[in-house]
Amino acid sequence: VLKRLEDWFDDPNSTERIFWLYGPAGAGKSAIAQTIARSYSRPKVAGTFFFFRSDVDRNDGKRLFTTLAYQLALSMPEIRDHVAHSLSERPDLPRTGVETQFEQLLVTYFRANIVKKYQELAPVIIIDGVDECSDEDIQRQFLKVIGDAVTDDRFPLRFLIVSRPEVHIEQTIHHFQTPVLTIDLADLDDANRDIEKYLVDKFSRIASEQDLDSKWPGQEIINDIVYKSSGNFIFAALVIRFVGDPYLFAKTQLEIVLNMKPPKTTSPFAILDQLFLEILRRVPDQ
């Protein structure tokens, strides 16, 4: 998954201007989006927005384009004056519809100004957790204006859209008049390969930090954790956070994880619940 995303990021001439990464809860969508965002500097990643349902500052779709415009003004100095001018001319812009915001803050500038270096670079904006925006209508609206904008060759930005495979999101993207690359993280083979790569990288870092053997903990144990994850990236991430606690010995922490008894249930999240409970049991009393 990461390789396919990196290939797309590194190909500014890709005919697909939108990449939709989707999958169920716990599949590692946000972790992948964050990894990609950290892998590229500005202005290659020109802006990011991570929706989060329970945070009022991050579940409001009307904050999306104003936030991205601010980030673009930092990433792409050429657009800074335009954004400032638009907001001074229309102080009410943050309270208008997402279509108006997108048009005034971003599209208008690029229609009037061809900036060669951005045409050649094709910067990417990452929008994660679309389904966690509190208003489904606004989700449809901002996806639609993005889909419309990328059909214009003068508009240099590309978009990585990350979400659960909600029907209304799928329908909106399906109606785009532009080709879209997609990855379904429910594909367990791809998910497991990414989880294995993640574990190898993170265990290597922990081994280095704690002066352990560079081959620790070994492929067999990594395979076991991949198996227990059942394609859910969140389980692997939680194992790493638990084992990599800088105040505790990694080998001991890993033994705790490995010695957990398999739950007697068919729930795919049972092993994850068990790990959460194990962590809570070990929180010291205040």
Side-chain angles (χ1 to χ4, degrees):
V1 172
L2 290 172
K3 179 65 166 59
R4 285 185 61 191
L5 282 168
E6 288 166 355
D7 287 346
W8 179 71
F9 266 74
D10 294 337
D11 180 11
N13 298 315
S14 172
T15 56
E16 295 89 356
R17 311 296 290 176
I18 294 175
F19 202 127
W20 182 32
L21 174 69
Y22 62 95
K29 301 182 296 296
S30 292
I32 291 171
Q34 290 166 3
T35 298
I36 286 290
R38 287 194 295 265
S39 298
Y40 291 88
S41 58
R42 291 175 176 171
K44 187 63 177 182
V45 171
T48 62
F49 195 98
F50 289 80
F51 281 104
F52 190 60
R53 184 174 287 106
S54 60
D55 185 336
V56 294
D57 291 326
R58 292 171 54 195
N59 67 9
D60 184 357
K62 288 193 174 182
R63 293 176 182 261
L64 172 62
F65 292 134
T66 52
T67 301
L68 291 175
Y70 172 77
Q71 294 178 11
L72 285 172
L74 297 177
S75 301
M76 308 164 75
E78 293 82 357
I79 199 175
R80 189 174 302 157
D81 289 343
H82 169 78
V83 171
H85 178 73
S86 297
L87 290 171
S88 66
E89 289 288 307
R90 291 284 307 272
D92 65 329
L93 204 52
R95 297 186 295 278
T96 61
V98 293
E99 300 97 331
T100 301
Q101 291 178 11
F102 189 65
E103 178 74 20
Q104 295 296 317
L105 291 171
L106 300 178
V107 176
T108 301
Y109 174 82
F110 289 115
R111 281 181 182 156
N113 300 274
I114 304 297
V115 184
K116 185 177 180 181
K117 66 179 178 181
Y118 298 133
Q119 293 286 338
E120 294 174 349
L121 184 65
V124 177
I125 287 176
I126 299 173
I127 304 175
D128 175 68
V130 170
D131 53 284
E132 301 219 10
C133 169
S134 60
D135 189 320
E136 286 189 9
D137 287 336
I138 291 181
Q139 293 174 29
R140 293 188 186 93
Q141 289 164 17
F142 68 66
L143 287 173
K144 184 179 184 304
V145 296
I146 288 170
D148 290 342
V150 298
T151 62
D152 189 334
D153 291 338
R154 294 170 295 179
F155 189 78
L157 302 177
R158 297 184 292 164
F159 291 83
L160 171 59
I161 306 294
V162 184
S163 75
R164 296 185 189 183
E166 304 291 353
V167 172
H168 67 281
I169 295 175
E170 183 176 4
Q171 289 176 342
T172 303
I173 292 176
H174 178 72
H175 285 96
F176 285 173
Q177 301 299 308
T178 185
V180 177
L181 282 175
T182 62
I183 291 181
D184 180 1
L185 289 177
D187 183 334
L188 193 57
D189 288 339
D190 276 352
N192 281 346
R193 281 194 292 271
D194 277 348
I195 289 170
E196 180 182 1
K197 181 178 184 298
Y198 170 81
L199 289 170
V200 169
D201 290 345
K202 296 301 181 182
F203 275 129
S204 176
R205 176 183 59 79
I206 294 170
S208 176
E209 291 172 350
Q210 298 204 13
D211 293 325
L212 301 174
D213 188 298
S214 61
K215 295 181 180 179
W216 177 85
Q219 190 62 44
E220 185 176 348
I221 288 175
I222 288 175
N223 290 344
D224 181 55
I225 297 172
V226 170
Y227 173 76
K228 287 179 178 177
S229 74
S230 299
N232 292 299
F233 204 103
I234 191 172
F235 178 79
L238 192 59
V239 167
I240 291 298
R241 290 187 66 178
F242 183 67
V243 174
D245 189 322
Y247 300 103
L248 297 169
F249 187 43
K251 283 189 174 181
T252 302
Q253 293 293 93
L254 182 58
E255 283 299 317
I256 293 169
V257 173
L258 298 176
N259 289 331
M260 290 191 307
K261 295 180 180 178
K264 296 180 179 179
T265 174
T266 58
S267 169
F269 294 106
I271 188 70
L272 180 60
D273 294 339
Q274 188 180 16
L275 181 54
F276 271 121
L277 289 172
E278 192 65 41
I279 292 171
L280 290 173
R281 287 193 196 101
R282 295 172 188 279
V283 174
D285 294 331
Q286 300 296 321

